[in-house]
Amino acid sequence: MKNTTFILCCLFCAALLQNVGAQSAANPNPPQRRLREVSFHGSGYARGLQHGQQLKKEIGQIVAKWKKSVENQLEKPADQVVKDFFAYAQFDAAIKKWTSDLYEEVRGIADGSGQTFNDIMVHNLLDEFWVWQDARDKHHCSGIGVPARDGNPGYIAQNMDLEGYTDGYQVLMRLAKTKKTPEQLILTYPGLIALNGLNEAGIGACMNTLMQLKANATGLPVAFVVRHILNRTDKDEILRFIQSVPHASGQNYIIGIKGEVYDFEASCNKVVRFDPKNANGTVYHTNHPIANDDLKDWYKEPEKGNSSIRLASVQGHIAALPNAKDADIKAALRAKDDPGNPVCRTFNRWGGTFGSVVMTLTGNPMLQITAGPPDESEYKEVQFGKGKGKTE
């Protein structure tokens, strides 16, 4: 009996060590991530000033890390890189026309954090900087949209994949309701006005870079498009906006409007809806155009690499289900069907899954969120309601 017990203990320990070893091999030094939660209220400049003051230390750190990153990539001083970029970037007119309060919010972040305006503005032009840099290999986001059907909720969801220097700076930003805008929950990092988000009316937006589509140095940048959508509650207004605004960067937008989901591929010249015509109504997207043919000259052949492999993975998890539910979406976002091209990316020096979000659009809208890859932590549920007392 003692020998049997000893053998069983040995087998259990061996299995435990093997499991630990497998986890260690996947991520040998997993960071101690903490989702920083912050709340801002008031006008654009006031929100930005609060943002800059509350996250001053973190903004200084991440701006410095970004500068070091671009210096290594472009082999020139970061201040010169910023100067060269703004010789190209002429986004001010579009930002002020369509989202003047957000221009002021960026100015408030700069003042509150003690950073220069241009350093904070370039921080908010993530995709536009990639376009200028012609960075064709930094884009690995995966998005999903599930309409409400047969009594089941509607969802949009995304793994937001970013460069390595951003890890550890995951922020959930809550914007209080005002007389003109709904309460909002936004995934971001210090100094940035938005990555993706959801408002209390069940309007949400997720996006994927489409570097292959044509861009324009005078259009409205991605972060400002996202925040404009989240500031709205009217379906027709949102759909008109996404299809008519001049886009600065090639981008795919999965937009949830209460129980409905829409997918639009936007270039600077046209916006095309993508609909895979699934019986369950689902949409999904990664980082290559499927419906929009307004392509850059260098994109000659259809995507066959990382983006198409991830798209096939998400499609395989979602497309054929009678009703895609919360657990199905999370399984798709945690997938590593192809270890070399996973939907869920462990961070390395090139980057990884910065955060994962599942947004419930119907009933009582809510956000579920992870800091870092969703296979390394459980989703945290975040409800609306804390910001309703403050109005402009």
Side-chain angles (χ1 to χ4, degrees), residues 32-38 168-173 186-188 354-356 367-372 380-382:
Q32 296 298 311
R33 298 185 184 92
R34 179 176 70 93
L35 181 66
R36 179 79 179 267
E37 297 186 45
V38 293
Y169 291 93
Q170 288 85 354
V171 169
L172 176 62
M173 180 169 67
I186 295 170
L187 172 65
T188 188
F354 174 82
S356 184
L367 181 74
Q368 297 180 75
I369 185 169
T370 70
K380 177 178 181 178
E381 185 177 301
V382 185

Side-chain angles (χ1 to χ4, degrees), residues 152-167:
N152 294 301
Y155 302 96
I156 62 171
Q158 179 180 24
N159 279 359
M160 175 61 69
D161 293 6
L162 296 176
E163 294 176 83
Y165 71 86
T166 64
D167 193 23

Side-chain angles (χ1 to χ4, degrees), residues 246-305:
H247 290 273
S249 300
Q251 197 79 187
N252 185 77
Y253 294 92
I254 295 179
I255 301 174
I257 304 178
K258 301 172 185 178
E260 301 177 74
V261 296
Y262 297 85
D263 188 295
F264 294 102
E265 295 180 1
S267 71
C268 67
N269 295 312
K270 63 181 180 178
V271 177
V272 181
R273 185 176 178 184
F274 168 60
D275 182 357
K277 302 295 184 181
N278 295 319
N280 61 10
T282 55
V283 297
Y284 30 75
H285 219 288
T286 51
N287 299 102
H288 64 282
I290 303 170
N292 193 330
D293 62 0
D294 188 29
L295 305 171
K296 294 177 180 175
D297 291 340
W298 57 258
Y299 188 62
K300 303 295 185 183
E301 300 293 333
E303 168 67 28
K304 296 179 181 178

